[in-house]
Structures are given as C-alpha cells and as structure tokens.
Amino acid sequence: MVDFTLTPRDEELVNLAREDAAISRKYARYYDQHHELLEPVELPEAKERPDPYALLQEDATGTSGPVVTQSLLHLEYPDVRLRRDSNRFLGTKIIAYAGTAEQVERFGHLLLSIAITEPGAGSDPRAMVGSARYDEAADEWVLNGEKIYCSGFGEAAGAVVMLRGAPDEHGVRPFYSFVVEKGSPGLQVIGQVDKMGMRAWDTADFVLQDCRVPSVNKLNADFKRTLMVFNGSRAMVTAFGLKTARNMLEMVHDNLLKDGNAIDYGRGRNGRSAVHDRVIALEAWHDATKLLILHAKWSEQKQGVTDEGTMVEAAMAKAMGGMAARRITQECMDLLGPLALMEEFLAEKWFRDARIFDIFEGAGEINRLIIARWLLDYSSKDLN
Ligand SMILES: Cc1cc2nc3c(=O)[nH]c(=O)nc-3n(C[C@H](O)[C@H](O)[C@H](O)COP(=O)(O)OP(=O)(O)OC[C@H]3O[C@@H](n4cnc5c(N)ncnc54)[C@H](O)[C@@H]3O)c2cc1C
C-alpha cells in the first residue's frame, strides 16, 4: 500500500525548497537573457538559508525516505538555483553502482556528467560512431569522438563517456564507458550550447581526439548498465518539468483571482465556465504526473535504481510528464492571452523551458517504446 501523506519533516524540507525557489525567481530573467553565463555556485541569499538537499543527505530520519523526499524537493525546482547541488551528476551516479572499489575511491568524489549523444546519435545511441581502442603497450585507451549537449559539463570535473570498441567476431561493436577527466590530453571543450529554453542549464559540447586515458578509467558498464542511470534521473527531470508547468498554472490562477473569477471546485461541470473546465483538466494532468513521479521514486527507493520495475515506472513518469509539461504550458499560454507574451512576466520563458523535458533523457516516443516493449515482452530489436 502506497501512502502519499507527507511527514512533518518532509513538509519542512519542501517548504524550504519552495521558499528558495521564490527567493531566486528574481534572477530568472537575467539568466535567461545571459545564457552565456552559468548559474553562480551560490546566490547571495543562499548564505543565510539552510540547504534542504544537504539536510536530507545528512539525516533522512522522519522523512518518507531519501529517494522519495528528494523527489519532493525536485518538484520545487527553481528557475535559478540558490546554490548548485552535486547530486544531479549522472556520471557520478554511474561510478557509485558500476565502479570497482578503486574507481569509487579515485572518481567517486568527482562531479561527472554523462556523455552519450553525438551529432548523428541521440535517441538511437546505437548509431554512435565515437570509438575506443586499447593500446596494450601503454595500458591506455585511445578515445575519439564528438559529444554534444552534455548536461553539467561546464561545471563538472569530466564525464562518463560512452563509445564503441572494435567489432567482435560477429562484427558487432561493443559499448564501453570511460571516465574522462578535464585536462586529459586530446579532450577539447567546445563550450556552452545556445538554447531556446532552460538557458541557465549548463549544456556543453566537446571533442575527443586521440584522447588517452589509463585503463583504470574503463568502467564495467556496457550499454545497458550505463543507461540504467536514467532509471533514477527520468523521474527527477520530469519533476523539474512539472514545476515549470505548475508555475504557469499558478500564474493562471492568480490572474483569475485578480479578475474576481476564482474557480469554484464545488460546482458541477454544467455550472462552470469553459475556462475553469480547462484549468481543472490541466490540474488533473499535473496531479496525475506528480503521482507517477512519486510512485516511480517509491519503487526506486524500495527496489533500487537497477531494477526493471523501476526502469518501467521511470519511463512512464517521463513519457507522461514530458507531454504534461508541453500541454500544460501550451494551454496556459492560450489562457493567459497577451500576458503570456510579455517579458515583464515569465510565462513565455516557462513555455520555452518546458520543451526540453520531452526531449532529453529519452524523448516521449522513446519512453513509450520502452513501456511498450515491457508490456508486450518485445526486445529492442523487435520494437524500435
Ligand atoms: C539541454 C539538453 C541537455 C542534454 N543533456 C544530455 C546529456 O547530459 N548527455 C547526453 O548524452 N545527451 C544529452 N542531451 C541529448 C538528448 O538526450 C538528445 O537530444 C535526445 O536523446 C534526442 O536526440 P536527438 O536530439 O538526436 O533527436 P532525434 O533522436 O533525432 O529525435 C528527433 C525526434 O524523432 C523522434 N524519434 C527518434 N527515434 C524514434 C523512434 N524510433 N520512434 C519514434 N520516434 C522517434 C524523437 O522522439 C524526437 O521527437 C541533451 C540535450 C539537450 C537539448
């Protein structure tokens, strides 16, 4: 039986995160317009305030558990973070579950992004051409490839990079993952990508040209084991996207209130205006997505991030959430009318921001394929 009641400690931490988001909102437009800048490590206001993520990490007693309560904090995702949080780095998470004791010791403390996408390989990583060759004499791997849209790479110490080795006896090129630290010979950072939305989101490209890394940097993580990290992060980014949608819904509500046109939820459908009906339908989408996120995180907390059930639940949350973020923000643009397009407000920014949540970490179509394969017991070869 799943109980979605928040504990008093959950409430406390969520309120802190909510207040943080309200405080940092005044910086939202600045970082939207200055997307060449990364968010600062800390905004001035952070100094006087406790960090809810750190408090949870230190002691999860009295909460709904470290994973579930963290997702409640993700649901309060701000336009600009009051302080950067290190627990979002997917490469670091891969080290935690796939690294040997030596690798955990060497790399476990580093902020590491994940670099899979290449110019011709996004939704289908199997199309990747980046290569890895073992140099036995030097006991090093020689890496070549171009990696794009790498989240967090501007701030990170490096990335876990997925590449393909030489063909085996069946002509199949295996997938390997390596830790590539900044400063490695042959790693060239291209820089930040200009984006339509989520402009404060650190996203960088880089090139590997005969980049050499010691053999200890090769992880015991093939295609499946590397991509497992998304079982945890899909619901997390969905929570970020849902917050963007909720910002829009709150703006619509404020506007209705201002016009003396507050929604009366007690009225039946026939007694409501079409506008109120639309808002209520959007709120239902929002709430259903939130429950899916919490259910996925509950499953992760119980069964672990590598569990197949967790994988499917995360894909469900992401498929639904990507669509919800798009649909809610789009319809709120309609409901807000001209206000939606005024720079004085953030609606048009949230509308732009929402789009990415149905693209990265598996676009909606890809997450629906994952769900369908599981339901129908098809392999990725059968259904792609
Ligand atoms: C801000 C940002 C941050 C990112 N962060 C990272 C990161 O940290 N690490 C990383 O490796 N990558 C990252 N990415 C890359 C992201 O994961 C890819 O953009 C995404 O996987 C989509 O790939 P693509 O852009 O090549 O689009 P495509 O794969 O070309 O997809 C285009 C469209 O076709 C649809 N489509 C594709 N294949 C199918 C199919 N088989 N059936 C039905 N429809 C299909 C897709 O759903 C999509 O709508 C990031 C991207 C952005 C924009």
Side-chain angles (χ1 to χ4, degrees):
M1 172 69 182
V2 188
D3 178 4
F4 287 118
T5 317
L6 302 195
T7 69
R9 183 62 176 157
D10 287 339
E11 300 260 17
E12 234 175 274
L13 295 174
V14 167
N15 284 337
L16 276 177
R18 194 169 293 159
E19 286 163 13
D20 280 357
I23 291 169
S24 68
R25 181 164 287 175
K26 60 173 176 270
Y27 297 97
R29 186 58 83 185
Y30 180 82
Y31 285 99
D32 181 53
Q33 287 171 343
H34 295 84
H35 45 103
E36 70 285 1
L37 300 177
L38 291 182
E39 287 170 280
V41 173
E42 206 179 60
L43 288 170
E45 291 82 352
K47 289 200 169 39
E48 302 106 49
R49 295 184 53 78
D51 175 356
Y53 283 94
L55 290 175
L56 177 66
Q57 213 165 347
E58 275 159 29
D59 184 7
T61 315
T63 67
S64 294
V67 179
V68 170
T69 302
Q70 195 183 58
S71 70
L72 294 169
L73 302 183
H74 293 328
L75 282 160
E76 302 301 328
Y77 191 74
D79 291 278
V80 180
R81 286 170 293 166
L82 212 54
R83 56 185 84 71
R84 292 196 197 150
D85 52 301
S86 54
N87 49 33
R88 267 177 34 181
F89 281 79
L90 302 192
T92 312
K93 289 179 194 284
I94 296 172
I95 304 288
Y97 68 72
T100 60
E102 185 186 359
Q103 288 168 334
V104 171
E105 163 121 26
R106 271 182 186 236
F107 310 121
H109 62 286
L110 299 177
L111 299 184
L112 297 171
S113 303
I114 184 166
I116 298 174
T117 307
E118 295 181 359
S123 297
D124 181 13
R126 287 172 204 278
M128 134 188 338
V129 294
S131 67
R133 173 178 64 80
Y134 184 53
D135 177 352
E136 202 172 344
D139 191 24
E140 287 177 342
W141 284 83
V142 185
L143 314 178
N144 281 285
E146 182 182 352
K147 293 293 174 184
I148 57 172
Y149 306 142
C150 186
S151 292
F153 194 68
E155 181 192 356
V160 169
V161 182
M162 195 197 254
L163 295 160
R164 304 197 78 167
D168 62 16
E169 66 274 20
H170 307 292
V172 179
R173 293 180 64 197
F175 286 91
Y176 299 133
S177 288
F178 301 88
V179 175
V180 179
E181 290 181 73
K182 283 185 182 162
S184 302
L187 165 66
Q188 195 195 340
V189 181
I190 305 296
Q192 289 291 310
V193 180
D194 278 348
K195 300 186 293 295
M196 178 187 84
M198 294 299 280
R199 288 175 161 173
W201 185 280
D202 175 358
T203 318
D205 296 348
F206 64 89
V207 169
L208 301 168
Q209 199 163 17
D210 289 331
C211 173
R212 287 185 168 264
V213 295
S215 60
V216 68
N217 288 38
K218 180 172 174 292
L219 299 169
N220 177 21
D222 57 9
F223 185 77
K224 202 171 166 189
R225 210 161 142 77
T226 303
L227 265 57
M228 265 174 191
V229 74
F230 295 127
N231 299 354
S233 63
R234 282 191 169 126
M236 172 181 83
V237 296
T238 306
F240 298 166
L242 199 64
K243 176 60 176 7
T244 307
R246 202 169 85 226
N247 291 338
M248 289 287 259
L249 281 170
E250 283 170 3
M251 186 169 166
V252 169
H253 265 287
D254 289 348
N255 222 38
L256 289 172
L257 266 180
K258 199 159 56 70
D259 295 345
N261 190 13
I263 299 176
D264 178 354
Y265 289 87
R267 283 191 161 192
R269 205 166 178 184
N270 294 338
R272 283 199 299 256
S273 70
V275 167
H276 287 185
D277 235 21
R278 277 177 84 181
V279 177
I280 289 172
L282 296 178
E283 286 175 340
W285 261 68
H286 170 279
D287 292 356
T289 305
K290 182 175 170 183
L291 291 178
L292 272 179
I293 292 169
L294 291 176
H295 203 280
K297 285 293 172 182
W298 174 73
S299 165
E300 181 186 330
Q301 187 164 282
K302 253 182 13 154
Q303 277 133 231
V305 78
T306 56
D307 177 76
E308 196 182 346
T310 304
M311 175 190 80
V312 178
E313 297 232 19
M316 286 178 180
K318 178 70 172 55
M320 171 95 165
M323 214 180 345
R326 287 170 62 183
R327 186 175 149 190
I328 293 170
T329 50
Q330 167 73 61
E331 289 210 29
C332 286
M333 290 294 278
D334 295 353
L335 291 163
L336 288 166
L339 292 185
L341 295 177
M342 289 166 69
E343 277 202 14
E344 189 186 339
F345 305 108
L346 290 169
E348 60 81 31
K349 171 190 173 295
W350 293 324
F351 175 62
R352 286 185 279 112
D353 288 350
R355 189 60 186 88
I356 186 58
F357 297 101
D358 209 18
I359 298 175
F360 62 14
E361 307 252 343
E365 289 82 357
I366 303 307
N367 279 296
R368 282 188 283 281
L369 277 174
I370 293 172
I371 300 161
R373 279 181 206 134
W374 177 76
L375 283 172
L376 303 170
D377 201 16
Y378 283 159
S379 71
S380 53
K381 278 201 190 101
D382 299 327
L383 191 63
N384 57 57

